Amino acid sequence: MSLYKRGSVWWMRFTHNGKQIRRSTETEDKKLAIRIFDKLKGDIAEGKWFAHLEGEDNTFNDLMDRYMKEYSAVNKAPSSHLRDKGLEKHLRGFFGDKFLTQITSKMISEYKTKRREKGLSPRTVNYELTLMGHAFNLAMKEWEWVKDNPVMRVRKDRVNTKIERWLNLEEEKKLLAASPSWLQEIIIFAINTGLRQGEIMDLKWSQIDFKRKTIIISEQKNRSVDTLPLNATALGVLLKKKPSTIKPEKLVFINHLGNRIGSSVLIRAFHRAEKKTDIPKLRFHDLRHTFATRLVQNGVDLFTVQKLGRWKNTSMVMRYAHHCVESLRAGIEVMDTLKPPVGTNLAQGHTDCHPKPYLRLVSN
């Protein structure tokens, strides 16, 4: 048991039921702090003191340590866990040493404002708050560290959900010409499969069935397993890379050392190629949008696009709907094949299509 100073306020550190607890005396007066501490020790000895919520003694750093170790590392895909590491770094920088019960909605709102002032997009800040909110939910519902989740009372900023960029055929040709051969393979494969960056980088030979011309994808978000067809172009990329002896556990896309291509290496190479062209700003993820957009532009219905791209529902691919005028044309032309019943004016060649009034209006 001991007293120590935190800023200008005196704090108590002691052990209760095997747990180390820290508690503020809420005073800057050392003599008063000693008296408060002595009373607490007496209450503990007499069994009159009961521990409060652990959130009063655990900091935000404690919360994130447990969340990352017990939840993110165990329940999330490696790529998602890696993203969490990037998000939590900024959260720790602002909230790190604060005790959980000290963190308020006002404080979180201030954090959001400061992040936006630094030029962060609403989407990025929302991701950070989502991570923080999930950690607080676990602390509240499962770990019983706090009684409340202050993140739930903070409004998230509206995200611009306009249609993403996609490549036309001429832009694709320019991008490929500016890319090294290993990147060309990845770009072509991404455009023709709609796979996400992590799914391509983690793709193993065991997921490819050359006889059936299919690929098996384990969905990271909902843990489902999907078997998808491969077109001739995507299959051609795989056949070109296919080793004489396939080891199922080996990755398909590897660097010159035979290891996984790092995300940062891929993105740097992708942006170097992009800058060599006159193509407007493009992200690797826009290759997935290119896949969906081309399907829709060429008459593939949205339900099929949803299944091929593994979106949860058709509402998530509705942003591509404005591309599908030509795909709708086939539907409306069905009307031209339908003939009116024999005996109607149209069938008898009448051209007067104006309806006759049921009542004649007579002016007084």
Side-chain angles (χ1 to χ4, degrees):
M1 293 187 174
S2 63
L3 272 177
Y4 66 98
K5 239 183 177 183
R6 186 182 179 88
S8 60
V9 177
W10 286 95
W11 284 70
M12 305 173 287
R13 183 189 292 114
F14 56 97
T15 301
H16 183 259
N17 291 336
K19 295 182 179 179
Q20 185 159 327
I21 296 174
R22 290 164 291 188
R23 192 72 84 238
S24 172
T25 64
E26 300 182 1
T27 181
E28 300 177 6
D29 186 329
K30 186 175 181 179
K31 291 183 179 180
L32 177 58
I34 292 173
R35 290 200 297 271
I36 293 172
F37 193 28
D38 288 339
K39 182 179 185 306
L40 180 139
K41 288 187 287 187
D43 288 343
I44 292 176
E46 296 175 10
K48 297 179 180 179
W49 189 87
F50 299 96
H52 301 294
L53 289 170
E54 293 186 41
E56 296 182 18
D57 306 301
N58 291 328
T59 65
F60 183 78
N61 280 333
D62 296 328
L63 171 66
M64 294 313 300
D65 286 344
R66 184 170 181 180
Y67 178 84
M68 295 299 293
K69 180 180 179 181
E70 297 185 13
Y71 187 86
S72 183
V74 176
N75 297 289
K76 294 190 177 183
S79 57
S80 298
H81 177 59
L82 188 62
R83 186 188 69 176
D84 285 352
K85 285 185 176 180
L87 297 174
E88 66 149 358
K89 178 175 64 176
H90 302 289
L91 292 166
R92 286 179 185 265
F94 189 89
F95 299 102
D97 292 332
K98 293 180 174 61
F99 290 102
L100 296 182
T101 51
Q102 293 177 317
I103 297 175
T104 62
S105 299
K106 179 181 178 182
M107 194 180 298
I108 298 170
S109 182
E110 291 172 356
Y111 169 80
K112 184 181 74 169
T113 300
K114 288 186 177 181
R115 293 292 285 159
R116 291 302 311 280
E117 288 175 349
K118 288 185 177 181
L120 274 296
S121 69
R123 188 186 301 274
T124 299
V125 177
N126 287 349
Y127 279 147
E128 293 174 353
L129 295 187
T130 297
L131 177 67
M132 184 179 184
H134 192 204
F136 260 99
N137 267 341
L138 289 176
M140 178 177 67
K141 297 177 180 179
E142 296 187 20
W143 305 337
E144 297 183 354
W145 282 11
V146 292
K147 290 184 177 180
D148 181 40
N149 183 349
V151 185
M152 299 299 293
R153 296 191 298 275
V154 178
R155 177 184 55 82
K156 291 182 180 178
D157 289 339
R158 185 175 180 178
V159 176
N160 186 354
T161 57
K162 65 180 182 180
I163 187 68
E164 322 296 19
R165 276 275 292 121
W166 73 91
L167 288 171
N168 59 40
L169 294 175
E170 184 61 31
E171 289 174 331
E172 179 187 352
K173 182 178 179 180
K174 291 179 181 179
L175 183 63
L176 291 174
S179 302
S181 58
W182 66 269
L183 182 57
Q184 289 177 8
E185 295 174 338
I186 293 174
I187 291 174
I188 293 171
F189 192 76
I191 290 176
N192 284 275
T193 61
L195 296 187
R196 302 177 181 91
Q197 176 188 322
E199 293 169 340
I200 295 174
M201 296 298 96
D202 293 329
L203 186 65
K204 296 180 180 179
W205 289 110
S206 60
Q207 296 173 247
I208 312 299
D209 188 329
F210 286 99
K211 291 183 179 179
R212 297 177 61 200
K213 300 179 182 179
T214 59
I215 183 172
I216 297 174
I217 298 296
S218 297
E219 178 61 52
Q220 296 178 354
K221 295 183 178 180
N222 59 21
R223 305 294 180 182
S224 64
V225 177
D226 296 305
T227 300
L228 303 170
L230 290 167
N231 67 4
T233 305
L235 192 63
V237 172
L238 296 175
L239 287 171
K240 181 180 177 182
K241 297 183 67 63
K242 182 181 178 183
S244 55
T245 302
I246 292 181
K247 295 182 179 180
E249 74 282 0
K250 294 295 184 180
L251 295 172
V252 174
F253 297 95
I254 54 178
N255 60 23
H256 65 285
L257 296 175
N259 300 321
R260 185 185 190 277
I261 300 173
S263 298
S264 58
V265 174
L266 173 66
I267 296 306
R268 280 199 300 268
F270 183 80
H271 287 307
R272 277 198 298 267
E274 174 205 343
K275 289 178 181 178
K276 292 179 182 178
T277 70
D278 58 356
I279 299 173
K281 188 174 181 181
L282 189 74
R283 305 168 305 164
F284 187 89
H285 193 71
D286 291 327
L287 301 181
R288 177 167 164 81
H289 299 305
T290 300
F291 166 78
T293 300
R294 290 185 182 179
L295 290 177
V296 172
Q297 287 177 333
N298 287 277
V300 179
D301 65 272
L302 295 182
F303 179 77
T304 300
V305 175
Q306 175 210 334
K307 293 302 181 182
L308 290 173
R310 293 163 296 117
W311 283 279
K312 290 182 180 179
N313 48 60
T314 51
S315 65
M316 297 184 71
V317 294
M318 283 302 294
R319 53 186 166 174
Y320 303 105
H322 72 278
H323 294 295
C324 65
V325 174
E326 290 307 312
S327 68
L328 295 176
R329 189 177 305 282
I332 196 63
E333 287 178 352
V334 169
M335 300 300 295
D336 293 332
T337 67
L338 304 178
K339 297 180 179 180
V342 177
T344 61
N345 288 345
L346 186 58
Q348 296 171 3
H350 291 284
T351 57
D352 184 7
C353 297
H354 297 287
K356 299 292 188 290
Y358 287 106
L359 297 174
R360 183 182 298 278
L361 298 179
V362 181
S363 58
N364 292 330

